[in-house]
Amino acid sequence: MSLRLGDTVPNFKASTTAGDIDFYEYLGDGWGVLFSHPADYTPVCTTELGRTALLKEEFRKRNVKALAVSVDPLDKHLGWVKDINETQNCTVDFPIIADEDRKVAELYDMIHPNASATATVRSLFIIGPDKKLKLSITYPASTGRNFHEVLRVIDSLQLTADYSVATPANWNAGEDVIVVPAVSTEDAIKKFPKGVKVIKPYLRYTPQPNID
Ligand code: BEZ
């Protein structure tokens, strides 16, 4: 059965371009982004892995570890990484899982037979420090994912884990956020000293609380 938000994600051991790993140990007490791609030596995947490598510092600042997976073997991954580094001007140093026996693909329901009987689709999972699933998205093989959007969601998840706020449509870090309905306006004024703007009783904004 597919994973749903709030589920504890399954652990696994795997062979990767960075050596053998235990998934939970690799994540430690940080956040994780596990994403599958259909195949090595394909153009869209090349750009996706390159983009993830170029955003290394952004992932590091947020305490997020990335991990890619496809059903190709390790030697193929290692050869392809050289091409990614050359063509995308990057250094891929996050692990790419060689999931030849499809163990990870099946655990995470990454093969959608009506799309492809053998290749993984573009699944992406954001996993919290509690090992629970915070977000999942599935893209078709023909559409590369937006890794700035992945970072934006992580910013929202990390903020809303600590404060009684939610983030509005198209929100980006630094912009005003929404006070959650469970907090009364009276309490919101006490909780959010930067101020609360009441548009409607259910629509209240406050400046992002965790920045100066
Ligand atoms: C790609 O990554 O470029 C790709 C992979 C499978 C189908 C179509 C495109």
Side-chain angles (χ1 to χ4, degrees):
M1 198 174 88
S2 60
L3 286 167
R4 291 184 287 201
L5 299 191
D7 289 355
T8 299
V9 299
N11 194 21
F12 56 82
K13 291 187 189 341
S15 166
T16 84
T17 50
D20 291 347
I21 61 152
D22 173 288
F23 184 48
Y24 275 18
E25 276 175 23
Y26 173 72
L27 294 182
D29 59 6
W31 292 69
V33 170
L34 174 67
F35 64 108
S36 58
H37 55 272
D40 294 0
Y41 293 106
T42 49
V44 177
C45 302
T46 299
T47 61
E48 287 194 316
L49 272 71
R51 183 55 58 155
T52 305
L54 290 168
L55 290 170
K56 174 182 174 168
E57 180 57 18
E58 295 302 318
F59 284 107
R60 191 202 59 75
K61 276 195 285 193
R62 294 163 174 83
N63 195 21
V64 179
K65 286 187 173 160
L67 243 146
V69 55
S70 80
V71 297
D72 288 312
L74 193 55
D75 58 340
K76 203 168 173 189
H77 282 348
L78 291 168
W80 181 43
V81 163
K82 290 187 195 142
D83 278 11
I84 301 171
N85 290 345
E86 178 197 325
T87 61
Q88 308 302 304
N89 295 315
C90 66
T91 304
V92 172
D93 58 6
F94 55 86
I96 308 174
I97 297 168
D99 193 33
E100 278 184 278
D101 61 3
R102 304 184 190 187
K103 189 174 73 185
V104 177
E106 278 165 19
L107 263 180
Y108 282 77
D109 198 25
M110 292 164 164
I111 294 179
H112 297 197
N114 290 326
S116 163
T118 51
T120 42
V121 290
R122 295 189 199 283
S123 300
L124 185 145
F125 301 94
I126 298 179
I127 297 149
D130 55 2
K131 307 292 181 291
K132 292 201 188 325
L133 182 64
K134 306 299 179 186
L135 169 130
S136 69
I137 54 172
T138 306
Y139 276 42
S142 51
T143 307
R145 287 156 287 197
N146 184 331
F147 289 85
H148 292 287
E149 168 64 3
V150 174
L151 290 168
R152 190 190 76 87
V153 175
I154 291 166
D155 285 340
S156 173
L157 287 166
Q158 293 184 341
L159 171 68
T160 60
D162 290 339
Y163 295 88
S164 304
V165 296
T167 57
N170 292 4
W171 175 84
N172 281 300
E175 295 173 1
D176 287 358
V177 299
I178 285 173
V179 178
V180 296
V183 176
S184 69
T185 298
E186 190 186 355
D187 287 347
I189 290 164
K190 291 182 207 141
K191 266 180 188 277
F192 302 112
K194 290 181 189 170
V196 176
K197 202 186 316 164
V198 181
I199 310 294
K200 292 278 181 192
Y202 60 85
L203 179 61
R204 294 133 336 141
Y205 288 88
T206 188
Q208 185 176 329
N210 65 344
I211 54 169
D212 295 329

